[in-house]
Amino acid sequence: GAVVSQHPSWVICKSGTSVKIECRSLDFQATTMFWYRQFPKQSLMLMATSNEGSKATYEQGVEKDKFLINHASLTLSTLTVTSAHPEDSSFYICSAREGRQRTDTQYFGPGTRLTVL
Amino acid sequence: DQQVKQNSPSLSVQEGRISILNCDYTNSMFDYFLWYKKYPAEGPTFLISISSIKDKNEDGRFTVFLNKSAKHLSLHIVPSQPGDSAVYFCAASDRGSRLTFGEGTQLTVNP
């Protein structure tokens, strides 16, 4: 099946620093990538949707200046958490979809655990 | 507000028996539903889906049932196997690409 990787798998950073998380589709071209975050014992919450070559669409309540998303190629999207604070500590998961239909399968990465001290 | 709810955080069943995982939703615009399975340290993997024009979809040991009037769906796994032990998420979408997930149910299948 299709494989999506994320790097790093975990990161610890100091408050005020920026952290970049990469999401790659390894064996297919992803026209659309999604970024989610998950707090303990809660569901995955969609943060933003990005299509290759265009600006990301952010969900209500997600600060676009804080969570910068770049989808520069069909196999790579990055999420940069700028000026991270302890409340940004969470599990961030990306997914990638090859087709443009909403019924096309989203393939998920393994997630990145971010801890902000 | 939580538009997709999985009220049982955990479920334990015996190997060979049926596992039934439940999911309720509130948004009547949802018309496509999915189940994902997640092992520790891995991302969710797609399991099975159902469109609102159907009330049942079957794939091997996995069957999803949809009751639109009750805004309820369920995933049946039969027979259950120890390798099925994982967290199961239901998800729903309306006309857009956005998936709304439930909180997940930890299934444990005991040998």
Side-chain angles (χ1 to χ4, degrees):
Chain A
V3 178
V4 175
S5 70
Q6 276 184 245
H7 178 80
S9 54
W10 59 269
V11 57
I12 301 173
C13 70
K14 291 183 178 179
S15 185
T17 60
S18 294
V19 174
K20 180 186 283 189
I21 302 170
E22 291 185 350
C23 176
R24 293 182 185 271
S25 56
L26 298 185
D27 49 3
F28 66 99
Q29 294 188 322
T31 55
T32 307
M33 286 185 166
F34 305 85
W35 287 95
Y36 296 82
R37 67 188 292 182
Q38 183 185 24
F39 292 106
K41 300 195 186 302
Q42 294 187 24
S43 59
L44 282 75
M45 299 294 293
L46 180 65
M47 299 174 66
T49 301
S50 74
N51 293 298
E52 185 265 338
S54 60
K55 288 185 178 180
T57 303
Y58 289 81
E59 294 298 301
Q60 193 172 10
V62 178
E63 299 174 58
K64 60 181 68 174
D65 294 332
K66 181 168 187 59
F67 298 99
L68 301 178
I69 292 172
N70 184 283
H71 190 170
S73 78
L74 285 172
T75 59
L76 174 64
S77 176
T78 59
L79 168 68
T80 301
V81 183
T82 62
S83 187
H85 291 285
E87 57 266 28
D88 299 323
S89 299
S90 188
F91 193 60
Y92 292 87
I93 305 179
C94 72
S95 70
R97 187 180 68 193
E98 184 172 14
R100 295 192 178 275
Q101 302 298 317
R102 69 181 174 114
T103 53
D104 291 324
T105 301
Q106 287 187 33
Y107 297 96
F108 284 81
T112 297
R113 171 76 58 195
L114 170 64
T115 301
V116 185
L117 302 177
Chain B
D1 65 339
Q2 188 68 25
Q3 296 185 61
V4 177
K5 285 194 69 64
Q6 294 175 254
N7 290 313
S8 299
S10 63
L11 174 68
S12 184
V13 300
Q14 208 62 31
E15 181 179 5
R17 306 294 289 267
I18 185 171
S19 296
I20 300 176
L21 298 121
N22 294 302
C23 180
D24 297 293
Y25 62 96
T26 58
N27 189 340
S28 58
M29 299 301 292
F30 289 148
D31 63 354
Y32 186 65
F33 304 89
L34 309 91
W35 283 94
Y36 281 83
K37 176 168 120 173
K38 183 181 183 305
Y39 292 116
E42 295 183 14
T45 55
F46 171 75
L47 203 52
I48 192 169
S49 64
I50 187 167
S51 163
S52 62
I53 61 173
K54 293 184 172 183
D55 54 19
K56 175 182 174 181
N57 189 26
E58 193 171 348
D59 183 2
R61 297 185 297 115
F62 303 91
T63 303
V64 55
F65 294 92
L66 175 62
N67 182 333
K68 289 186 290 293
S69 60
K71 293 191 176 68
H72 177 85
L73 66 155
S74 61
L75 174 68
H76 292 211
I77 306 173
V78 56
S80 301
Q81 300 173 354
D84 296 328
S85 298
V87 177
Y88 288 79
F89 291 95
C90 69
S93 79
D94 51 22
R95 288 188 165 189
S97 293
R98 179 188 298 114
L99 288 181
T100 302
F101 283 84
E103 307 95 325
T105 297
Q106 172 70 58
L107 172 66
T108 302
V109 180
N110 301 304

